[in-house]
Amino acid sequence: MNKTNQVAVIAGDGVGPEVIAEAKKVLQAIKPTLKTPIELSEFDWGAERFLRDGTTLPSGALEDLRDSFQAILFGALGDKRVPEQIHARDILLGLRFGLDLYINLRPVKLLDERFTPLKGKQPADIDLLVFRENTEGLYAGVGGNFKKNSSDEIAINEDINTRKGVERILRAAFVAAYGRRKKVCMADKANALTYAHGLWQRTFAEVARDYPTVEASHLYVDVAAMEMVRAPERFDVLVTCNLFGDILTDLGAAISGGLGMAASGNIFPGRCSLFEPVHGSAPDLAGKGICNPIAAIASLKMLLDHLGESSASAHIGRAIEHVVKKNLLTADVGGKLSTSQCGSAIADAAQA
Ligand code: IPM
Ligand code: MN
């Protein structure tokens, strides 16, 4: 066992540094409950660095992270000054792909009924885990432009689906279902994307046979989106491809308190994995001290789960429940506190 867990911190742009500061406050508060000490190393990758010296993901960074770190705590990337957000794509997608973080795990969990716009839905109705494939699909970057910037232009993004890539995300979803309500639903579009999602369907049928006590079902993604709004209680574990997962998890955030509450993990089990709030850099909120730190703090909780620190993670879970109950929250979820006051309230409750 490691004598310390090495955690890289990439606070990034926009509200990233503000929410990461709160996550670090909470980490400090739960320190005594850690089985293994955590050592943090800060990395300055982001828009400022890019504008200064052109660096996105420095060479050697992937190897360094993979070999010397157990996890990455990530804030957000995105800045209007950077054309086409090349730094954000290079760094975030670079880490997802380069570290082969094939599971994008995004819990959709309603903590209080007052946070959902869905009439009559209770916390027990909105509690699902989305497994988004995170290393291929339409995000693979395979394609190009032909006759660019002419009236004859052709633009292609290939949808890459490998048997191995599909199988491993499906298996991860089935394994997770064991510890929950034992239901896996796959969202695909095999009725239109017959080749790519035909592979998903065939692989799903095969993998499902290995998990006979898990109820396996599938919905076309358009229906899945509708059902997440109409009857979210149908879902336990939802597994899908990269692009559909991107879309469905924003919908998931919207029904469970908004992006300020949505945490995520980009995971390769047992290897260096990255944890980040789903909200992005939110430039219009940056520097005002008003953004919700809970998504980042809940991402830290997922990071601790990844490190096997279940007791520390449970402390954070209870602390978040506490601030929700007492309405010690930021304005986006109906509270009156600043980012830092909310973070402090969670840190205090986590310590208690
Ligand atoms: C997310 C984001 C990213 C994605 C962007 C910034 C490339 O929307 O993490 O959901 O599409 O995956
Ligand atoms: Mn997204």
Side-chain angles (χ1 to χ4, degrees):
M1 201 161 116
N2 293 314
K3 279 208 299 300
T4 63
N5 276 317
Q6 297 296 329
V7 173
V9 180
I10 304 169
D13 308 332
V15 297
E18 294 169 51
V19 295
I20 291 302
E22 301 313 311
K24 282 163 64 180
K25 222 185 240 178
V26 174
L27 180 59
Q28 188 62 33
I30 53 88
K31 226 175 176 173
T33 67
L34 292 173
K35 292 188 287 190
T36 305
I38 286 179
E39 195 177 319
L40 300 180
S41 308
E42 310 273 344
F43 291 87
D44 66 351
W45 308 336
E48 288 299 337
R49 171 81 186 270
F50 175 74
L51 293 167
R52 197 166 65 237
D53 67 10
T55 303
T56 55
L57 196 59
S59 68
L62 282 175
E63 294 74 11
D64 186 31
L65 288 167
R66 191 184 56 216
D67 300 339
S68 311
F69 289 84
Q70 279 67 53
I72 304 164
L73 182 62
F74 189 96
L77 289 174
D79 188 301
K80 288 194 189 86
R81 296 169 299 171
V82 180
E84 290 166 28
Q85 306 302 313
I86 34 176
H87 73 305
R89 251 202 330 276
D90 268 22
I91 299 170
L92 181 57
L93 297 184
L95 291 170
R96 287 181 185 169
F97 282 74
L99 296 174
D100 201 20
L101 305 175
Y102 66 94
I103 300 169
N104 195 329
L105 178 57
R106 296 186 162 186
V108 175
K109 192 166 161 52
L110 179 65
L111 295 181
D112 189 287
E113 68 173 293
R114 68 188 195 275
F115 298 149
T116 187
L118 302 183
K119 201 163 117 195
K121 297 298 176 194
Q122 308 290 321
D125 297 323
I126 304 180
D127 180 8
L128 53 140
L129 271 189
V130 180
F131 278 76
R132 164 185 176 187
E133 201 293 319
N134 210 30
T135 51
E136 41 186 65
L138 276 160
Y139 279 68
V142 176
N145 296 89
F146 182 52
K147 301 185 182 174
K148 194 170 179 181
N149 294 324
S150 81
S151 58
D152 293 325
E153 176 163 353
I154 296 173
I156 295 174
N157 272 95
E158 300 274 15
D159 184 9
I160 306 298
N161 296 265
T162 68
R163 165 70 204 213
K164 284 184 182 148
V166 173
E167 181 171 339
R168 65 182 180 172
I169 189 69
L170 293 177
R171 285 197 187 280
F174 275 95
V175 168
Y178 268 123
R180 297 175 49 95
R181 302 194 301 278
K182 297 196 172 58
K183 294 202 292 187
V184 173
C185 178
M186 177 174 78
D188 62 76
K189 194 65 189 168
N191 51 350
L193 310 178
T194 50
Y195 308 117
H197 288 192
L199 172 64
W200 278 75
Q201 290 244 345
R202 282 178 280 118
T203 311
F204 187 68
E206 233 179 278
V207 168
R209 280 200 284 277
D210 291 342
Y211 305 87
T213 58
V214 176
E215 180 193 314
S217 64
H218 114 96
L219 291 173
Y220 294 127
V221 66
D222 46 353
V223 181
M226 181 177 71
E227 288 298 278
M228 277 178 71
V229 172
R230 196 192 65 83
E233 63 278 7
R234 283 186 66 173
F235 298 103
D236 177 19
V237 174
L238 181 61
V239 62
T240 191
C241 66
N242 208 337
L243 181 65
F244 296 170
D246 179 46
I247 299 165
L248 290 180
T249 54
D250 269 28
L251 174 57
I255 62 171
S256 59
L259 285 172
M261 302 292 282
S264 78
N266 298 260
I267 300 170
F268 190 116
R271 295 207 327 216
C272 179
S273 297
L274 182 154
F275 298 83
E276 53 167 342
V278 179
H279 52 59
S281 64
D284 40 332
L285 303 185
K288 297 184 180 155
I290 57 172
C291 68
N292 189 343
I294 292 183
I297 293 168
S299 301
L300 169 67
K301 177 183 186 306
M302 293 178 75
L303 182 153
L304 292 167
D305 286 329
H306 176 71
L307 298 179
E309 297 283 3
S310 47
S311 158
S313 159
H315 271 77
I316 298 181
R318 282 193 294 271
I320 293 174
E321 280 166 23
H322 171 81
V323 299
V324 165
K325 202 159 138 214
K326 301 278 179 203
N327 203 32
L328 298 169
L329 301 168
T330 48
D332 57 309
V333 277
K336 292 193 173 72
L337 300 192
S338 69
T339 306
S340 140
Q341 288 168 328
C342 177
S344 297
I346 297 173
D348 290 347
Q351 211 155 26

